[in-house]
Amino acid sequence: MIRLFNWFRRGSLERGLDRELQYHFDRRVADLTAVGISEPEARRRVAVELGLAQVREDVRDVWLTRWFRDFLYDLRFSVRSLLRSPSFTATTLLSLALGIGATTAIYSLVDQVILHALPVREAERLVLVDWNGDDLITYATGSINLMPYPICHGLQQQTRLFDGVLCRAEIQVNLTASGDPRPVAAEIVSGSYFPVLGVGPALGRVIEPADDAAPGAGPVVVLSYDFWQAQSGGAADIVGSKVLIGNHPMTVVGVAAAGFRGVDVGAVPAFWMPTSMYADANLDTGDEDLLNGHTRWLQILARLRSDVTLAQAQTGLQPWFKAWLEDSTLRPGFPRISADHRREYLATTLELTSAPQGHSVLRRNLAQPLWLLFAATGVLLGLACLNVAGLFLARGSARGREIGTRLALGASRGRIGRQLLADSLLLAVAGGVLGAAVAPMAIRGLIAFLPHELAANALRDTLSLRLLTFAFFASLAAGLSSGLAPALRAGGDGLVNSLRERGGTGFGGVRLRKAIVTLQVAFSLILLIGAALFLRTLTGLLAKGPGFDTSNLLSFAIAPTQNGYSDADASRLVRRLDEQVLALPAARSSAAARFAFLTGGAWSNEVTMQTDHRTVTDGIINFNAVSPGFFSTLGVRLLAGRDFDKSDALPVGEIGPRCAIVNEAFVKRYLAGRDPLGVLIARGGSSDVKPNSRIVGVVADMSYRGLRDNSEQVFFPLFEHDDTGATFYIKVRGAPEQAIPSIRRLVRQDDQRLPILWFRTLNDQVNRSLTTERLLAALSGSFGALALLLSLIGLYGVMSFVVTRRTREIGIRLALGATGASAIRLVLRDAVAMIAVGIAIALPCVAALGKLVQSQLFGVTATDPATIAAAAMVLAAGALAAAFIPAWRASNVSPTDALRLE
């Protein structure tokens, strides 16, 4: 630290040293002149005797670490040197800034979505509790890793393993704080949620165990800090105010700490409410008691005790869980199942996984695409470093005479190498600063690929300390990578050869530069093949489509029960709107569905069929309930039987399955070789399920969850049950957006306070379902294009260098009668060799990496020969074009001028 401090006071130290050395110098001169030596001779002798220059260096080494001082001097020299070469400096800065900026932008999303731990107490001790085999018996509503509340309550008693257990569920509710109600995301949480996480209030208090002690015990909410700021402007009197959740009044008791945004990066809540108030959240679970029933609807997180490992906790839980499973089979409402099914159920286990980042569906969906893109940016940064290394080698060759002179004056190769390394580090850090400066714009561009409501709530485009630290270390790595080869090459041509070269035309390192370009070709081909695969996936999905015509189709959704409607009133509203929307002048046709299509979710279960024998499907079947005219509205072909009609509807309040329509995939898999019409089916696969819905029609396949979906599907009449919400699909005359005002007025006529959850065209919904594919195709395509450009620049530079070096040889060949075409072939032969070797290196890498990307592809394999051949041809054509320019220049060399070269 003292030496580092001395660097900042070196001016004062230098002045003190000058005074002290001058004193000793003058005293010694005075001694010599006193014995009769002339003053000039005395000064000469003293200068030789004392060796002041060496003394100064030795003292400076005491003040400062020598390597640090030399490095700072090297940086100062590098600044002056690079400013004298503005074109070289700009080219290298641009290459490094592109690579570092792209890598930093992708890392920002990787950090936010995958790596960043929750801002809670000791996040590393959090674990996610999952049920391995949970789908054998129980009904589920929600996303993934779902558990019933009784398991959470039971785990809270396992204090020998956990310091605390919490459960939470993401919900959508209609909130009225001031003005009209509007749909917002929220979390329903156990009373232990905030204490276990160690999150306190910014204002008021948080939800406590007493709020969750009994059903209806805690009609309170805690607002998120961001929602409080956005909606109330940070008003301090918000505590104690009333809000409506649907039609249920709740009291705001506090605001959560700033910076805490829940445990799911993809679902940032506006507020939290206790699980004791689940009935007021209007969850779509019927009349089931969610606090005591079997329904899986919550995620469970636990905090390990400090003296318990994850493996110990998982092992220790199994005896308790086995007893819980035995007990659950005796509870009211447990379904009748076969003996084999019971054995499978009792053999299920609890699984613990480390969860410092919390729980996130977004992370599950984007983790692999983001890692793939991060790897691609790493390859792109590597290409940029190779390109800069090639430029530094060319610059080092041009400075051959200067380096030779330094060697002649006594400089070591290591000292010169450190100077060249200082050049690359300086440029890399400067490139990193530029990359970090443009990174926020790049991050905003990446976030633009995601659905707006998700991007606006969950992800940020600001530069954090973690991001700047990453950019700094990426810059150092880039500087070392791009400067290492030139530094090791420094002085490699030897002292005599360097001094023999004419100023500014030195040569050297041809093989090394060819090796660098060969690697660039290999890296570029890997990125080009990846881009081509992802582009073919996107175009293939768009060509496949959802199985129906999306033009002029508009959808909107309502959830009346979230606004306090009873099930019967909500069903009456849905039926009434179904008729009124169809009567609109702008509507060519319309229909409603219980669940929206192409949103990633589904209503699913096994199906029991009764033909000449009873059969249960060996897989999960996707269900939906639709109104009459649904298939004709979407343009889905009816292949056999009939569509639903009004006779299939039941009066409000009556429930009774009557009929069903299945898709072609269901018939091919389960009813092949027989007439499906008239077959009885039922939802569920347990032994007490009785098939009671008759198949009356078969329709063509259509996508349900997303465009990749080719699942077996069963459709039921929408109005054979009290449907409490719906998504309406309208075939519009003209542009779909023009029909939105009239639909909004229609809903307002029934209930001015009922929010419409969304308006979306089906084209927009298709685009939303392809978010990941568009992200991969667009970014990998951009990276591939940049990689191709960098490799072509590198190849052009090397071939120009080779032509310059062989100018004398080519001139002699031409003088001896060789043709210009033979000179072109001579030069292109080197280019073809580099291209061929680069492709040979890339192909095994593509084969090895294929398994990592296959899950992201559709309609094409990772080793598709046509795609690989097309990418290789594009690269080879571009590379040969880049090499042809210097080759053409070589063929036009004048033999006389070439022979005059020294």
Side-chain angles (χ1 to χ4, degrees), residues 119-168:
V120 301
R121 174 172 52 87
E122 296 180 282
E124 68 279 0
R125 288 169 53 198
L126 292 178
V127 294
L128 176 70
V129 184
D130 199 13
W131 189 348
N132 185 14
D134 58 351
D135 57 348
L136 286 172
I137 300 295
T138 53
Y139 170 75
T141 176
S143 55
I144 57 175
N145 307 120
L146 298 170
M147 306 284 277
Y149 183 84
I151 289 185
C152 177
H153 181 71
L155 288 173
Q156 288 173 347
Q157 316 306 315
Q158 304 301 307
T159 55
R160 61 191 177 85
L161 301 175
F162 304 120
D163 279 341
V165 176
L166 66 90
C167 56
R168 49 82 66 182

Side-chain angles (χ1 to χ4, degrees), residues 250-335:
M250 301 269 191
T251 303
V252 177
V253 295
V255 176
F260 178 69
R261 311 175 74 229
V263 298
D264 188 341
V265 68
V268 179
F271 64 87
W272 294 268
M273 61 185 291
T275 53
S276 63
M277 306 303 297
Y278 77 89
D280 293 349
N282 301 305
L283 302 176
D284 186 19
T285 55
D287 298 327
E288 182 176 352
D289 180 2
L290 293 184
L291 300 183
N292 297 292
H294 301 282
T295 297
R296 295 176 288 115
W297 61 292
L298 299 152
Q299 288 90 26
I300 298 177
L301 291 170
R303 179 179 295 281
L304 292 174
R305 286 174 55 98
S306 58
D307 57 345
V308 175
T309 66
L310 187 145
Q312 290 171 340
Q314 180 158 324
T315 302
L317 278 181
Q318 303 314 317
W320 168 83
F321 186 58
K322 186 172 181 60
W324 186 92
L325 290 172
E326 292 278 3
D327 181 65
S328 69
T329 61
L330 305 177
R331 293 179 185 175
F334 191 83

Side-chain angles (χ1 to χ4, degrees), residues 221-279:
V221 298
V222 172
L223 302 182
S224 72
Y225 188 89
D226 292 346
F227 185 79
W228 172 54
Q229 291 289 330
Q231 298 301 313
S232 306
D237 59 354
I238 192 70
V239 175
S241 63
K242 298 289 186 180
V243 296
L244 289 180
I245 307 300
N247 275 345
H248 305 287
M250 301 269 191
T251 303
V252 177
V253 295
V255 176
F260 178 69
R261 311 175 74 229
V263 298
D264 188 341
V265 68
V268 179
F271 64 87
W272 294 268
M273 61 185 291
T275 53
S276 63
M277 306 303 297
Y278 77 89

Side-chain angles (χ1 to χ4, degrees), residues 514-529 788 791-792 795 830-848 865 867-880:
K514 286 184 177 180
I516 287 174
V517 170
T518 300
L519 287 177
Q520 286 182 293
V521 170
F523 286 172
S524 298
L525 182 57
I526 292 171
L527 289 182
L528 282 175
I529 291 172
L788 180 62
S791 63
L792 295 186
L795 181 62
D830 283 345
V832 169
M834 286 186 284
I835 295 168
V837 174
I839 292 175
I841 294 173
L843 292 181
C845 297
V846 171
T867 303
I868 293 174
M873 288 177 63
V874 169
L875 177 63
L880 288 174

Side-chain angles (χ1 to χ4, degrees), residues 64 215 285 356 361 408 426 447 477 513 525 549-550 576 738 776 820 836:
L64 309 165
T285 55
V361 177
L426 178 64
I447 293 176
R513 295 184 67 186
L525 182 57
D549 182 15
T550 59
R576 191 162 58 247
Q738 295 176 354
L776 286 171

